[in-house]
Amino acid sequence: MIHGHVTAWALALILFIVALILQSGGKTKGAKIVQMILRVLYLIIIATGVGLLFMLTKISVMYILKAVVGLWIIGLFEMILGRAMNKRRTSVFWIQFVIAWALVLYLGFVELPMSIFHVK
């Protein structure tokens, strides 16, 4: 289940970048299609994340924090794509995105024991 969750996040990040490139290139129809596929991936990400939480015997605050930050990133994906489509400023959202992405990677791969890289 962990590999499915990480794979879905990786695909979502790739499709997010593709959607941004298509939007900036003026290909709005292609960007809309990619954005719809991205929204399906959000559902897969949330489902696998909830599945991972239910696999735990004790859910700590750090897992809840990681889930909230993950949902924050999904919201930022949508906000950045929506504002970019309307040609509005996205700089505040990009700053939030970098902070949230760094936090979720730290929690997911370093801090929490379900990680494949956990060393504690």
Side-chain angles (χ1 to χ4, degrees):
M1 176 121 15
I2 291 174
H3 295 292
H5 189 66
V6 172
T7 302
W9 269 113
L11 287 173
L13 185 61
I14 291 167
L15 287 178
F16 172 69
I17 293 167
V18 168
L20 282 174
I21 291 170
L22 288 172
Q23 279 183 0
S24 68
K27 299 181 184 344
T28 55
K29 186 174 182 179
K32 282 262 192 216
I33 292 170
V34 172
Q35 194 170 3
M36 288 298 148
I37 296 169
L38 187 58
R39 289 177 178 153
V40 172
L41 273 175
Y42 298 157
L43 297 175
I44 294 170
I45 290 167
I46 292 169
T48 56
V50 168
L52 287 170
L53 280 176
F54 280 124
M55 288 174 53
L56 297 171
T57 55
K58 181 181 177 238
I59 300 175
S60 70
V61 175
M62 296 302 262
Y63 282 108
I64 300 299
L65 177 63
K66 183 177 181 290
V68 169
V69 174
L71 291 173
W72 180 25
I73 291 173
I74 289 172
L76 288 170
F77 276 170
E78 284 295 308
M79 292 298 292
I80 291 170
L81 286 173
R83 289 177 78 87
M85 184 179 295
N86 295 329
K87 307 276 191 266
R88 295 172 62 195
R89 282 186 32 182
T90 58
S91 56
V92 173
F93 296 107
W94 279 110
I95 293 167
Q96 289 182 45
F97 180 77
V98 169
I99 293 168
W101 195 259
L103 183 59
V104 84
L105 287 176
Y106 172 74
L107 288 172
F109 287 111
V110 177
E111 187 64 33
L112 296 173
M114 284 181 79
S115 167
I116 55 176
F117 300 119
H118 186 71
V119 292
K120 287 185 181 177

